[in-house]
Amino acid sequence: MLCTSMTQQVEQMSSVLRNEDLKEMLESNKESLKLEAMKRIVGLIAKGKSASELFPAVVKNVASKNIELKKLVYVYLVRYAEKQQDLALLSISTFQRALKDPNQFIRASALRVLSSIRVPIIVPIMMLAIKEAAADLSPYVRKTSAHAIQKLYSLDPDQKEQLIEVIEKLLKDKSTLVAGSVVMAFEEVCPDRIDLIHKNYRKLCNLLVDVEEWGQVVIISMLTRYARTQFTSPWTENKAFYDSDSEEKKDQTEAKPYIMDPDHRLLLRNTKPLLQSRNTAVVMAVAQLYWHLAPKHEVSIVTKSLVRLLRSHREVQYIVLQNIATMSIQRKGMFEPFIKSFYVRSTDATHIKTLKLEILTNLANEANISTILREFQTYVKSQDKAFAAATIQAIGRCATNISEVTDTCLNGLVLLLSNRDETVVAESIVVIKKLLQTQPTQHGDIIKHMAKLFDNVTVPMARASILWLMGEYCEKVPKIAPDVLRKMAKTFTAEEDIVKLQTVNLAAKLYLTNSKQTKLLTQYILNLGKYDQNYDIRDRTRFIRQLIVPNEKSGALSKYARRILLAPKPAPGLESAFKDRDRYQLGTLSHSLNLKATGYQELPDWPAVAPDQSVRNVEIVEPCPCVCTESGSESEEESSEDSEKTSSDSGKSSSGSEKSSSESESDQKKKKKTKKAPQKKSKPAGDRYTEIPHCLFPQNDSKKPTFRTSGISLFYMSFQVTTSSFGPLKTYELLHHMTGKGLSAKYHFPRQPCLYQPSMVAVQVILTNSSDHALEEIHIGDQSPASLNIHCFNTIERLEPGASVTVSMGIDFSDSTQAANFQLCTKEDQFSVSIQPAVGELLMASTMTEQDFCKEQGKLQGMNEASATITMATANASRQAINKQVLSVANVGEVPSSQNNFSRFAGQTVSSRALVLVSLELSESSGALLTINTEKSVMASMLLQDLKQALAQA
Amino acid sequence: MIHSLFLINASGDIFLEKHWKSVVSRSVCDYFFEAQERATEPENVPPVIPTPHHYLISVLRHHIYFVAVIQSEVPPLFVIEFLHRVVDTFQDYFGVCTEAAIKDNVVVVYELLEEMLDNGFPLATESNILKELIKPPTILRTMVNTITGSTNVGEQLPTGQLSVVPWRRTGVKYTNNEAYFDVVEEIDAIIDKSGSTITAEIQGVIDACVKLTGMPDLTLSFMNPRLLDDVSFHPCVRFKRWEAERILSFIPPDGNFRLLSYHVSSQNLVAIPVYVKHNITFREGSSQGRFDLTLGPKQTMGKAVESVLVSSQLPRGVLNANLNPSQGTYTFDPVTKLLTWDVGKINPQKLPSLKGTMSLQAGASKPDENPTINIQFKIQQMAISGLKVNRLDMYGEKYKPFKGIKYMTKAGKFQICPYNTPFTGFSLTVLTNQIHVFR
């Protein structure tokens, strides 16, 4: 200790000296010396020591080539710029230059530092930089700009209007990288501008699964607030609505049963999977969203996940338990099945124990009270006395809440009076006092027992409680009460104030009921009280004396003394400490502290009438086939901006408008809401990783959440298999809801390699429950022909009314168009359905070069060739139109062609992997020669028919 | 969001501070110290403390308090989760998270904290990304750096940060491609004296160590996925695939990570792998107590029960224990009254037992409570829930990886309670014998 204080002194003395040599090191020519100096300076900053006088020497190195040195200078700059504003300005030009750097990393970090320098004079420069960065091609830079918005706002709130414009722009961004940060900026700068969210609402909901976890938390809490302002309450059926100006309207609304807004449902559906997140904050955010937004019967799905969080760190437990405590008051049923999870373990920290106790008490009911009491019984014996005392309080609460066990609890508490530990005894007395008040009639014995204990109890609160009980029920213990008063008279002066007050009360009450025995004692005590040091006691004594002792001065009041002092008193309620916590939004800091925190935003109440729903509609731009075959598949909400693109040869040929992007950025913002079918492409592994986001299970229902996307290349066989399709997928009906007694099913072919077996065709089935009751155990029953190889989906345990679910199956059609028949079963019914594939769906696309194509075609002549001359519709004259038509019929891949009048497509059958080659030779007029080469001659002729038909129609 | 961070050691010194917005004076920690004084145990400091202008949210790990300063409303779990993530990252980088390690690597710590938060909002928290930005210090690299002046800081923006697989670093190359999965299950149970289960739960995790070249896409399927009642995933796992098909489909991060944690529902019957026969008696008026304890295997599917450790907190009146173990060694700490018996492996032919006498304080009344017995054990090559991995497939890369899977069962909070009778009312038999004190 001595040693450290000495070194501290030495350090202080030498600090000036040492800073000198740091300065010298910084001014040297050697990078390594500079770096060493900066490292030491950072060490000083970390310890909280001032190094501000080195500012001029440090700031010179801001333009250093050494990245680590530069970064450390940034750290320094951000820390001290506020203090040395003039000098800090010297560094600004470096950042301005870096903002134009071709490397996105450097641009982003320049913006980060520039915006972190809290110097008001550079506000215009920051504003300009933010605006530019918000339009940057790199999503990473845009993300940084979203962070910078908040920094600028806190530096100069006057910029609000301009910043809102930038936020509005960034909210439109489709990158998952930006979403979380911009919503954070929105929450900080303009949380009331809910109108900015409308157009982006659906996009945010759909992006949510793919946003990084911290962004998810922010977005979920913002959307909770949004939903509360935009949708009507799902909690009451037929909500009464009174509209003063139109009687008619009122009737209409009243007659209409509650129907959940599809957007409201979208939010609930898309947040649900996040309950499985490893991030506890995300799980809590979803839980509070369900609590505040979901229909009552759906809230309980969050229970399991919340209980799971109880296995996490102590601090996490603390917050989660607080929230459960609030929830369990309103909804016992939610947590009752998990009651054992709230059993206290001896290793828990005290505040955790108390919270668990609170929850156990809230959950107690007639059915489980005996087990809970048994638990409490062990807790009372705990070494942790504060906890034991809290347990006794809890027993008292259970006793008042559940009348069946009041007597048992009371007896138990009386037994506790003989405990060795005084805190336990004292707490028991206090609780017994409260309990007796609720039913005093039959408890004379207990009061006597407590009187006996009186000499041994020293805790003032407990003594006071006993005295109060004696006074209140003095008629039940007529012999003991005066004796207790006698004892008190002896020790009066040595007691605590609270005990003295109760002694005076007891004396007064005894005087009124039994003045013969206690008159003298009472007067003695009143005299003692008259000269007490505490003015409360002096006041009380004076008041009591006037009230009870009749003399000529006392007025009418003393006549009523008995009625005043011995009036029947209402029993105190024993209530949960979490009773009023629900005024705060769950999961918030304010809820945790039970105190309104700075910046807390009240959760708005549901509107009586939902505002216009159409504000959330976004116009969908028609997909154009040339957009991007390169960047792989995208579902509606994934923009290709996410993907860092390097061009690969396989993609180049397929479309004319290829964007070659040098540095990972391709700006495709103009293409709003392009909805494209998925596409997987195997790629040669380049030196740089190329990200191809794609959706594993594309859905034509745009409201469905996307899968976590990822870049995968799949290799199947030696041929490169491409899965591609353009335009909207064709959906076929499998089961109509009329025939299916409410269950309807549709299917489509996602045109991707089947995951279960390569010889299977992937089929996606969308099951919808249009009935008014939940359907259970949806599964696949008997199949025919028996040899049919089907990979069934897992049984769907339960499908709520109005809900729909997409499942995937695999069917091995063995390259024939024979229908696959099977039974779709629910718990009650069975429906025979069949899937008949179009011949084009039995194929999968392959990529090959023109040479390979011609070579393979040469091998498949004669018997294996089918051809026809067809008449093309005029609309199909262009190559793109042809592609579109062919691809809509068959799952084939386009082969790059050097000849303008030739279109070639290649594919192979799914089961037997036989090649299918399609070539189309355009002649001068609208005629064309269509040739199909494959060893499957039946398929060839069928395909020929289909193609002919497709190309003939516009 | 997060304004500042202070690191406070067990003796109450602030040894590191970091500010992401304007500087907050370290005097704000006085409120924390006040709360610390009020708490009897270090664990009892409330995680959220309000002060007039700020809010302090803290976590305690490795005897260090990580205190975050907050200025306005924020979900407290957000901060807590982040702080734990910081600790995990330090542990990942330095092997241990101690005051010494943090002080030694203060520059790396500072660089990490700088990358992890921007303006108080988390920026990069994935270990794979951070490691590309800032290379973890190794002895060799530290030496090379001091000589050549090269740096620990990466020169490129990690491509992972831009991609939709932010958890995986790019350009991974291994000569041996391996993927190992450890299925570890813990049984939390309370068993009563007669051997019947009061509560039993199984919690499991699948920890993975994946060292695969390139961008592999893995699918892992179970023989019996229905066993899993409640699961939480690493962000790499595709939720929808799990929901629809009960298959774990993911592009793994590089290196070690926890793929899945799960809970096997308490509705399922839990096989209890060991049983305990015990008889601990004290007689009124005698200064001796008898101790007799036997362990045996039960429902272990033929696997050996290893690393068995029995511990029990004996009543305060016990002065010493004179016991005779049939195998292993036992210790009794006369101060804490903690009895531990390191049994080792259970041999089903010759069951381990511990017998003998305990001497009691002369004149002390008979201890009113029998001790609870805690048991730890390990069973290799078995997941007690019966969970089995069916297969692991890899897509997206051509090579054949080595795939390994390991099962293990451990005791979590495994406790034998001394009472037998279920509760029938608040009769508190234990307490009645003390009433005479007051009569």
Side-chain angles (χ1 to χ4, degrees):
Chain A
M1 204 59 212
L2 185 73
C3 187
T4 50
S5 68
M6 263 174 64
T7 46
Q8 268 169 6
Q9 273 186 347
V10 173
E11 257 176 43
Q12 268 170 6
M13 285 191 325
S14 68
S15 83
V16 184
L17 203 72
R18 193 180 46 193
N19 286 352
E20 274 310 310
D21 63 63
L22 281 176
K23 205 179 268 177
E24 233 166 69
M25 283 165 84
L26 282 170
E27 275 157 8
S28 82
N29 292 326
K30 276 195 187 156
E31 290 258 296
S32 57
L33 272 181
K34 285 183 180 176
L35 193 59
E36 185 54 39
M38 276 321 290
K39 282 184 174 172
R40 283 203 221 162
I41 292 171
V42 167
L44 289 178
I45 296 175
K47 277 186 215 140
K49 291 186 179 135
S50 172
S52 62
E53 68 277 8
L54 289 164
F55 203 95
V58 174
V59 82
K60 275 182 212 159
N61 293 305
V62 73
S64 165
K65 288 270 184 302
N66 182 320
I67 290 217
E68 185 165 26
L69 180 59
K70 196 147 97 175
K71 274 198 171 173
L72 295 178
V73 173
Y74 286 178
V75 168
Y76 183 90
L77 208 56
V78 171
R79 175 75 172 74
Y80 288 112
E82 218 167 351
K83 284 188 187 161
Q84 308 256 357
Q85 306 213 347
D86 292 344
L87 285 169
L89 294 178
L90 294 175
S91 63
I92 302 299
S93 64
T94 323
F95 296 122
Q96 280 178 304
R97 225 174 303 129
L99 284 170
K100 300 269 188 291
D101 196 280
N103 183 340
Q104 50 175 342
F105 189 25
I106 293 176
R107 286 203 300 279
S109 72
L111 181 61
R112 256 184 85 180
V113 182
L114 180 67
S115 54
S116 298
I117 297 175
R118 285 168 295 273
V119 178
I121 209 164
I122 62 162
V123 165
I125 299 175
M126 272 162 78
M127 194 68 223
L128 204 67
I130 289 172
K131 278 184 178 166
E132 262 174 38
D136 200 287
L137 297 180
S138 154
Y140 183 68
V141 177
R142 296 203 296 278
K143 184 189 177 75
T144 318
S145 80
H147 288 191
I149 290 173
Q150 304 162 49
K151 298 182 209 168
L152 179 53
Y153 180 65
S154 66
L155 183 66
D156 182 8
D158 292 344
Q159 304 294 319
K160 188 171 172 176
E161 286 313 310
Q162 286 195 62
L163 288 174
I164 291 176
E165 277 169 37
V166 184
I167 290 174
E168 191 174 0
K169 194 173 158 199
L170 283 172
L171 275 171
K172 294 199 182 102
D173 204 302
K174 292 192 198 72
S175 163
T176 51
L177 209 56
V178 184
S181 302
V182 67
V183 171
M184 189 64 228
F186 171 84
E187 289 282 79
E188 205 127 295
V189 179
C190 51
D192 46 339
R193 286 292 301 276
I194 219 92
D195 56 298
L196 298 180
I197 301 300
H198 292 319
K199 290 267 183 248
N200 302 298
Y201 173 80
R202 288 176 195 161
K203 184 196 71 190
L204 284 173
C205 285
N206 286 322
L207 280 185
L208 200 56
V209 195
D210 289 330
V211 175
E212 36 83 40
E213 32 195 1
W214 309 108
Q216 285 172 345
V217 178
V218 178
I219 296 177
I220 291 172
S221 73
M222 187 276 287
L223 289 179
T224 310
R225 216 154 31 84
Y226 178 86
R228 273 295 190 103
T229 61
Q230 299 299 315
F231 308 127
T232 50
S233 167
W235 296 336
T236 41
E237 301 277 295
N238 281 334
K239 199 167 192 253
F241 166 68
Y242 300 100
D243 199 333
S244 51
D245 47 13
S246 134
E247 197 64 27
E248 208 181 280
K249 208 168 160 188
K250 174 190 157 189
D251 288 342
Q252 270 178 3
T253 347
E254 274 193 333
K256 209 169 66 182
Y258 171 76
I259 298 166
M260 188 181 274
D261 189 306
D263 287 329
H264 189 172
R265 175 53 66 197
L266 173 74
L267 177 61
L268 292 175
R269 193 170 51 211
N270 284 7
T271 46
K272 192 181 158 199
L274 298 180
L275 284 173
Q276 253 70 58
S277 172
R278 65 159 174 184
N279 188 317
T280 57
V282 175
V283 178
M284 190 65 230
V286 179
Q288 68 84 23
L289 181 130
Y290 263 78
W291 179 258
H292 292 295
L293 298 181
K296 295 284 186 203
H297 64 275
E298 285 175 43
V299 179
S300 47
I301 64 161
V302 307
T303 315
K304 242 185 222 175
S305 310
L306 283 180
V307 172
R308 184 186 69 229
L309 299 190
L310 297 181
R311 284 176 222 130
S312 186
H313 297 285
R314 184 179 58 90
E315 296 84 5
V316 175
Q317 284 182 32
Y318 175 73
I319 304 291
V320 174
L321 285 171
Q322 280 187 328
N323 285 292
I324 293 180
T326 303
M327 291 164 112
S328 62
I329 292 174
Q330 284 182 39
R331 303 280 307 274
K332 277 187 188 199
M334 260 177 90
F335 294 97
E336 222 193 297
F338 297 90
I339 198 157
K340 284 181 178 168
S341 307
F342 303 107
Y343 282 2
V344 174
R345 302 201 181 258
S346 54
T347 43
D348 288 336
T350 307
H351 50 251
I352 305 276
K353 287 181 186 161
T354 344
L355 282 169
K356 283 186 171 175
L357 202 59
E358 176 72 37
I359 294 167
L360 285 175
T361 317
N362 289 342
L363 294 180
N365 59 21
E366 288 83 355
N368 58 22
I369 185 69
S370 61
T371 27
I372 290 183
L373 281 181
R374 183 174 58 174
E375 273 298 302
F376 284 177
Q377 193 182 335
T378 44
Y379 301 166
V380 170
K381 287 183 241 159
S382 162
Q383 295 296 316
D384 186 344
K385 288 306 158 199
F387 172 59
T391 309
I392 292 165
Q393 292 271 10
I395 295 174
R397 260 180 65 202
C398 288
T400 39
N401 294 343
I402 302 161
S403 52
E404 282 89 337
V405 293
T406 313
D407 284 345
T408 339
C409 289
L410 203 52
N411 289 336
L413 288 170
V414 170
L415 290 174
L416 285 178
L417 292 177
S418 45
N419 198 291
R420 285 178 200 161
D421 190 88
E422 189 162 38
T423 36
V424 173
V425 176
E427 201 65 40
S428 308
I429 291 171
V430 175
V431 173
I432 289 175
K433 178 202 134 195
K434 288 182 183 168
L435 280 182
L436 284 183
Q437 250 179 298
T438 56
Q439 37 184 184
T441 42
Q442 63 271 55
H443 297 302
D445 292 350
I446 296 173
I447 298 172
K448 273 181 208 153
H449 183 62
M450 287 169 80
K452 282 181 203 154
L453 284 177
F454 188 71
D455 294 344
N456 300 56
V457 176
T458 54
V459 175
M461 191 61 208
R463 283 176 80 84
S465 293
I466 296 181
L467 289 175
W468 185 89
L469 274 176
M470 291 290 142
E472 193 63 23
Y473 306 114
C474 52
E475 278 155 338
K476 295 208 175 61
V477 283
K479 287 191 182 138
I480 298 170
D483 195 45
V484 171
L485 189 66
R486 181 184 59 82
K487 283 182 189 162
M488 282 314 295
K490 279 204 266 183
T491 57
F492 186 84
T493 44
E495 297 289 345
E496 288 282 326
D497 291 346
I498 186 169
V499 184
K500 285 180 183 167
L501 281 177
Q502 289 307 331
T503 313
V504 174
N505 270 351
L506 173 66
K509 286 171 184 169
L510 281 176
Y511 183 86
L512 289 174
T513 53
N514 186 2
S515 59
K516 210 162 77 188
Q517 268 188 308
T518 56
K519 192 173 178 184
L520 287 171
L521 270 174
T522 307
Q523 271 176 353
Y524 176 66
I525 285 168
L526 289 179
N527 281 334
L528 286 175
K530 192 176 173 183
Y531 300 106
D532 199 86
Q533 282 184 325
N534 186 303
Y535 51 79
D536 271 345
I537 293 166
R538 293 199 301 271
D539 279 357
R540 176 72 62 89
T541 318
R542 208 171 302 136
F543 162 69
I544 295 284
R545 190 192 292 275
Q546 289 304 315
L547 192 62
I548 59 170
V549 184
N551 57 21
E552 61 278 11
K553 265 189 264 171
S554 68
L557 211 57
S558 58
K559 275 187 239 159
Y560 300 105
R562 204 182 162 86
R563 278 171 71 184
I564 291 171
L565 284 174
L566 290 168
K569 297 170 181 75
L574 293 165
E575 280 176 341
S576 165
F578 281 78
K579 199 168 170 284
D580 54 349
R581 287 255 176 132
D582 58 351
R583 62 200 151 126
Y584 297 113
Q585 190 176 352
L586 286 188
T588 58
L589 184 63
S590 305
H591 175 269
S592 189
L593 293 169
N594 199 15
L595 183 91
K596 196 170 169 181
T598 334
Y600 173 75
Q601 292 184 50
E602 214 62 64
L603 193 64
D605 215 350
W606 298 100
V609 194
D612 187 13
Q613 303 179 3
S614 62
V615 288
R616 287 184 291 277
N617 290 347
V618 192
E619 72 274 30
I620 293 171
V621 176
E622 275 301 301
C624 50
C626 62
V627 175
C628 98
T629 43
E630 157 61 11
S631 67
S633 82
E634 288 169 48
S635 52
E636 176 185 0
E637 47 290 322
E638 239 95 26
S639 129
S640 59
E641 294 153 23
D642 287 23
S643 64
E644 211 182 311
K645 298 207 303 178
T646 52
S647 43
S648 78
D649 19 14
S650 62
K652 266 182 188 159
S653 49
S654 55
S655 75
S657 72
E658 184 63 59
K659 284 201 175 172
S660 60
S661 42
S662 54
E663 232 266 339
S664 77
E665 292 130 18
S666 70
D667 184 17
Q668 300 193 346
K669 265 190 249 157
K670 286 149 265 167
K671 300 158 200 154
K672 265 191 196 170
K673 294 272 163 192
T674 34
K675 184 171 175 175
K676 273 152 276 151
Q679 183 182 47
K680 263 183 230 157
K681 214 173 269 173
S682 55
K683 286 178 151 258
D687 52 338
R688 285 186 72 182
Y689 163 63
T690 307
E691 184 52 41
I692 315 172
H694 74 265
C695 203
L696 262 187
F697 290 102
Q699 279 138 346
N700 58 351
D701 177 5
S702 64
K703 283 169 197 152
K704 285 272 175 191
T706 52
F707 285 87
R708 214 162 248 303
T709 49
S710 53
I712 322 168
S713 316
L714 288 170
F715 283 86
Y716 275 85
M717 301 185 46
S718 52
F719 275 111
Q720 293 179 325
V721 175
T722 327
T723 322
S724 62
S725 63
F726 286 82
L729 288 168
K730 274 188 218 159
T731 307
Y732 310 90
E733 181 131 88
L734 186 61
L735 180 66
H736 191 263
H737 67 86
M738 294 302 281
T739 41
K741 297 185 186 168
L743 177 69
S744 71
K746 289 179 174 168
Y747 68 95
H748 62 85
F749 298 95
R751 293 192 173 182
Q752 51 175 304
C754 182
L755 295 149
Y756 313 109
Q757 270 177 35
S759 65
M760 285 182 171
V761 176
V763 183
Q764 285 206 347
V765 182
I766 303 146
L767 297 162
T768 312
N769 182 357
S770 14
S771 68
D772 51 358
H773 58 275
L775 294 171
E776 288 179 346
E777 290 179 25
I778 303 171
H779 62 278
I780 287 178
D782 296 338
Q783 302 155 11
S784 79
S787 60
L788 191 70
N789 188 3
I790 297 187
H791 187 284
C792 309
F793 54 86
N794 285 346
T795 303
I796 298 159
E797 295 294 355
R798 191 179 169 83
L799 194 61
E800 296 295 335
S804 70
V805 63
T806 308
V807 291
S808 49
M809 303 174 54
I811 303 177
D812 190 348
F813 288 103
S814 320
D815 292 348
S816 86
T817 52
Q818 198 190 357
N821 301 309
F822 54 91
Q823 291 197 310
L824 198 58
C825 311
T826 62
K827 202 177 179 184
E828 293 90 17
D829 298 296
Q830 299 184 334
F831 311 104
S832 296
V833 293
S834 74
I835 291 182
Q836 175 147 38
V839 65
E841 303 295 351
L842 298 175
L843 305 177
M844 53 187 176
S846 17
T847 43
M848 53 173 75
T849 61
E850 201 174 356
Q851 287 97 339
D852 285 341
F853 186 92
C854 294
K855 207 170 91 192
E856 295 292 337
Q857 201 178 24
K859 291 182 198 163
L860 295 164
Q861 297 288 338
M863 281 269 292
N864 296 332
E865 188 174 277
S867 65
T869 317
I870 58 167
T871 333
M872 306 260 289
T874 40
N876 290 341
S878 72
R879 163 159 294 200
Q880 275 161 18
I882 291 172
N883 284 356
K884 197 175 154 197
Q885 289 296 350
V886 172
L887 295 180
S888 74
V889 169
N891 185 13
V892 287
E894 199 199 0
V895 176
S897 170
S898 54
Q899 292 152 287
N900 250 341
N901 56 341
F902 262 105
S903 292
R904 296 189 172 98
F905 304 89
Q908 48 185 306
T909 62
V910 174
S911 291
S912 56
R913 309 275 153 156
L915 271 183
V916 178
L917 307 172
V918 179
S919 55
L920 189 71
E921 188 186 358
L922 298 176
S923 58
E924 288 306 309
S925 62
S926 60
L929 181 69
L930 181 65
T931 317
I932 294 174
N933 300 71
T934 176
E935 52 195 32
K936 302 261 173 190
S937 49
V938 184
M939 287 184 93
S941 61
M942 288 170 81
L943 191 58
L944 199 65
Q945 280 301 319
D946 286 357
L947 284 173
K948 203 167 156 182
Q949 210 172 12
L951 289 167
Q953 52 185 227
Chain B
M1 288 201 144
I2 298 172
H3 220 97
S4 306
L5 176 71
F6 293 98
L7 267 53
I8 300 174
N9 64 13
S11 49
D13 298 326
I14 304 170
F15 66 93
L16 188 114
E17 63 179 67
K18 167 86 186 133
H19 307 274
W20 284 275
K21 301 185 183 184
S22 50
V23 178
V24 177
S25 158
R26 55 163 71 191
S27 64
V28 76
C29 292
D30 292 349
Y31 294 98
F32 180 81
F33 295 134
E34 246 171 61
Q36 202 183 0
E37 255 169 55
R38 253 179 276 132
T40 44
E41 304 269 323
E43 289 81 26
N44 285 354
V45 180
V48 186
I49 302 169
T51 79
H53 300 290
H54 301 92
Y55 306 93
L56 306 179
I57 299 186
S58 63
V59 305
L60 171 68
R61 285 198 43 198
H62 310 289
H63 310 291
I64 300 171
Y65 289 101
F66 291 75
V67 185
V69 183
I70 309 297
Q71 215 156 31
S72 62
E73 175 64 52
V74 59
L77 269 186
F78 187 97
V79 182
I80 290 170
E81 178 80 26
F82 176 79
L83 292 176
H84 282 299
R85 215 57 83 77
V86 170
V87 181
D88 293 341
T89 309
F90 287 171
Q91 226 169 347
D92 195 21
Y93 264 74
F94 315 128
V96 283
C97 180
T98 59
E99 188 185 347
I102 291 173
K103 278 182 172 169
D104 287 350
N105 296 293
V106 70
V107 174
V108 179
V109 165
Y110 237 68
E111 285 167 348
L112 278 173
L113 290 175
E114 188 72 28
E115 288 304 332
M116 288 180 86
L117 280 183
D118 182 16
N119 194 37
F121 189 76
L123 194 63
T125 49
E126 282 297 334
S127 122
N128 267 249
I129 291 182
L130 285 171
K131 283 194 175 156
E132 268 185 89
L133 286 168
I134 301 146
K135 302 206 175 65
T138 58
I139 296 170
L140 184 68
R141 190 171 298 124
T142 322
M143 271 167 58
V144 172
N145 287 356
T146 37
I147 296 162
T148 62
S150 63
T151 68
N152 277 333
V153 177
E155 315 230 334
Q156 275 266 321
L157 174 68
T159 39
Q161 193 146 23
L162 287 174
S163 76
V164 277
V165 272
W167 53 85
R168 187 174 176 87
R169 64 190 184 94
T170 52
V172 184
K173 278 209 176 76
Y174 289 102
T175 39
N176 293 326
N177 289 296
E178 314 162 305
Y180 296 102
F181 293 86
D182 291 3
V183 180
V184 182
E185 296 194 336
E186 285 193 3
I187 310 177
D188 291 354
I190 302 175
I191 315 279
D192 81 357
K193 202 184 171 201
S194 65
S196 53
T197 311
I198 294 176
T199 66
E201 280 186 329
I202 300 173
Q203 266 123 55
V205 292
I206 299 183
D207 284 330
C209 176
V210 177
K211 293 181 173 175
L212 297 174
T213 308
M215 206 34 81
D217 191 357
L218 305 179
T219 57
L220 185 102
S221 60
F222 298 101
M223 305 274 262
N224 39 10
R226 298 240 151 173
L227 277 176
L228 309 183
D229 182 43
D230 181 47
V231 282
S232 76
F233 301 121
H234 189 272
C236 69
V237 178
R238 300 179 178 101
F239 291 126
K240 284 286 154 179
R241 229 17 230 288
W242 172 259
E243 238 165 59
E245 304 164 59
R246 300 271 147 178
I247 284 176
L248 293 177
S249 159
F250 56 99
I251 294 174
D254 184 43
N256 292 310
F257 67 102
R258 175 156 296 177
L259 178 64
L260 172 79
S261 15
Y262 61 89
H263 175 239
V264 177
S265 69
S266 40
Q267 272 76 29
N268 287 20
L269 273 183
V270 177
I272 303 295
V274 291
Y275 70 86
V276 178
K277 268 195 242 162
H278 64 110
N279 195 9
I280 301 164
T281 48
F282 304 102
R283 249 174 303 149
E284 193 74 56
S286 155
S287 65
Q288 291 249 309
R290 272 186 50 223
F291 189 98
D292 187 348
L293 193 146
T294 311
L295 284 171
K298 183 181 160 189
Q299 293 169 304
T300 61
M301 299 174 220
K303 301 281 192 304
V305 184
E306 294 167 8
S307 316
V308 182
L309 189 78
V310 178
S311 62
S312 180
Q313 185 79 48
L314 295 185
R316 221 173 275 171
V318 177
L319 273 185
N320 210 345
N322 184 15
L323 305 172
N324 185 19
S326 70
Q327 72 179 78
T329 51
Y330 84 95
T331 53
F332 177 73
D333 186 337
V335 182
T336 59
K337 313 291 181 198
L338 186 71
L339 174 77
T340 47
W341 175 28
D342 190 347
V343 185
K345 198 168 163 179
I346 296 183
N347 178 1
Q349 270 76 51
K350 190 171 164 287
L351 297 178
S353 66
L354 184 65
K355 289 176 188 166
T357 55
M358 296 170 287
S359 51
L360 294 177
Q361 219 156 11
S365 62
K366 173 184 168 245
D368 49 57
E369 216 180 315
N370 272 325
T372 9
I373 297 160
N374 292 303
I375 298 178
Q376 288 166 42
F377 56 83
K378 260 184 209 171
I379 305 170
Q380 302 280 1
Q381 297 164 13
M382 181 181 82
I384 194 80
S385 67
L387 187 77
K388 269 222 145 57
V389 171
N390 184 20
R391 56 183 298 162
L392 177 75
D393 295 305
M394 186 181 72
Y395 302 98
E397 297 289 339
K398 276 181 184 160
Y399 55 83
K400 274 241 177 313
F402 179 82
K403 299 175 275 193
I405 183 126
K406 205 167 83 181
Y407 296 94
M408 184 156 71
T409 299
K410 285 199 287 194
K413 292 162 186 153
F414 198 96
Q415 195 170 310
I416 314 286
C417 89
Y419 303 107
N420 216 347
T421 44
F423 182 74
T424 46
F426 210 118
S427 53
L428 294 177
T429 45
V430 191
L431 292 163
T432 40
N433 57 14
Q434 290 162 24
I435 278 193
H436 66 274
V437 178
F438 295 100
R439 283 208 177 122

